[in-house]
Amino acid sequence: MKKKLVVLTGAGISAESGIKTFRDSNGLWEGHDIMQVASYEGWLKNKEVVLQFYNQRRRQLLEVSPNHGHKVLAELESQFDVQIITQNVDNLHEQAGSSKVLHLHGELLKVASDCRPPKQILDWRDDVRLGDTDAHGIQLRPYIVWFGEEVPALKEAITLTEQADYLVIIGTSLQVYPAAGLLQYPAVNVPVFYIDPKPATIHNLKNPLEVIPMNATEGVPFLKEKLLNLL
């Protein structure tokens, strides 16, 4: 039976494909205040602005490709049972060939009914406009988990992390919760590998930790060789 490799990815791996990271140093996202475009309150205040913002993100996603880091993670499926848990809303892991990808914060290429729980979740590659509705006449919204909203995939993510033989963290500052809290769940003896050119300090981790201060395109191939030597 293959060892279970659980990989938590953040904005850093997508940034190497040309997708801008969620939060710039000035606290803005593409010139917008975060809460204006990433909260339900912002959505209620100005749906047009929010739809336009995610339409731009969606168009950008359709112009970029997976990088070497994404591709090597997909290659690891030949030796390991690889489960990706991503904070990213792009589909670059899937494009690269990863077969098990859990999106914690939603997906850009999907839309949902503006009700809780959504009556419909639909695949969507075009712009979304006011007046675009589901089969029940309910306005469609980006299928994104905004600040303050429940993370529907969290329970599954915790279960997967508890099952890990190896836990890998790539390209995340570990500042966004509840995703960062997944570090609490692997068994005590499970090795943790943290790939990031500017790694955050991890406090109170009970597991053996190896920090690999590289970006994803360099660090994931480096990790692959290290993991293969452990088999």
Side-chain angles (χ1 to χ4, degrees):
M1 182 181 292
K2 292 179 179 177
K3 294 279 191 178
K4 191 170 192 69
L5 178 65
V6 176
V7 184
L8 175 64
T9 64
I13 191 169
S14 294
E16 292 185 70
S17 288
I19 293 180
K20 291 188 178 180
T21 55
F22 180 80
R23 191 188 293 269
D24 295 328
S25 58
N26 58 5
L28 302 179
W29 190 8
E30 298 275 319
H32 293 273
D33 178 88
I34 298 292
M35 300 308 288
Q36 181 185 16
V37 293
S39 72
Y40 197 70
E41 291 73 18
W43 166 249
L44 292 177
K45 186 175 181 179
N46 197 329
K47 294 180 181 179
E48 195 90 58
V49 166
V50 176
L51 290 176
Q52 182 181 23
F53 177 82
Y54 288 98
N55 288 342
Q56 292 171 348
R57 309 282 75 69
R58 194 177 301 106
R59 288 181 219 136
Q60 181 189 39
L61 173 56
L62 295 174
E63 294 174 353
V64 301
S65 301
N67 60 56
H68 192 52
H70 292 109
K71 293 173 183 177
V72 174
L73 286 176
E75 291 170 3
L76 280 166
E77 291 192 9
S78 61
Q79 290 93 14
F80 297 89
D81 175 11
V82 182
Q83 172 67 58
I84 308 288
I85 302 171
T86 186
Q87 299 175 74
N88 300 330
V89 296
D90 59 66
N91 68 339
L92 295 178
H93 285 298
E94 290 92 337
Q95 285 191 49
S98 289
S99 62
K100 297 179 182 178
V101 184
L102 181 67
H103 287 267
L104 285 176
H105 296 155
E107 299 179 59
L108 262 181
L109 298 185
K110 291 184 179 179
V111 294
S113 315
D114 184 19
C115 55
R116 301 178 187 179
K119 291 182 180 293
Q120 284 189 288
I121 298 170
L122 306 170
D123 292 328
W124 200 278
R125 298 176 70 86
D126 300 317
D127 285 358
V128 187
R129 297 178 173 85
L130 284 178
D132 288 336
T133 62
D134 68 5
H136 306 276
I138 300 170
Q139 173 67 43
L140 295 171
R141 57 162 274 183
Y143 184 56
I144 304 293
V145 178
W146 288 324
F147 285 110
E149 294 188 315
E150 183 182 357
V151 180
L154 181 61
K155 186 175 180 180
E156 184 180 354
I158 290 171
T159 299
L160 291 168
T161 307
E162 289 173 337
Q163 297 169 349
D165 293 302
Y166 305 100
L167 178 63
V168 180
I169 305 160
I170 304 173
T172 172
S173 63
L174 298 172
Q175 299 299 308
V176 177
Y177 284 81
L182 291 174
L183 285 174
Q184 302 170 21
Y185 293 98
V188 175
N189 60 336
V190 169
V192 176
F193 301 92
Y194 182 18
I195 301 171
D196 196 288
K198 297 179 180 178
T201 301
I202 300 178
H203 299 283
N204 303 319
L205 183 68
K206 60 185 182 292
N207 301 76
L209 171 68
E210 180 171 347
V211 176
I212 302 171
M214 301 178 183
N215 58 30
T217 52
E218 298 168 335
V220 179
F222 179 85
L223 174 68
K224 179 181 178 181
E225 295 306 312
K226 185 175 288 287
L227 290 173
L228 292 180
N229 289 331
L230 296 175
L231 293 179

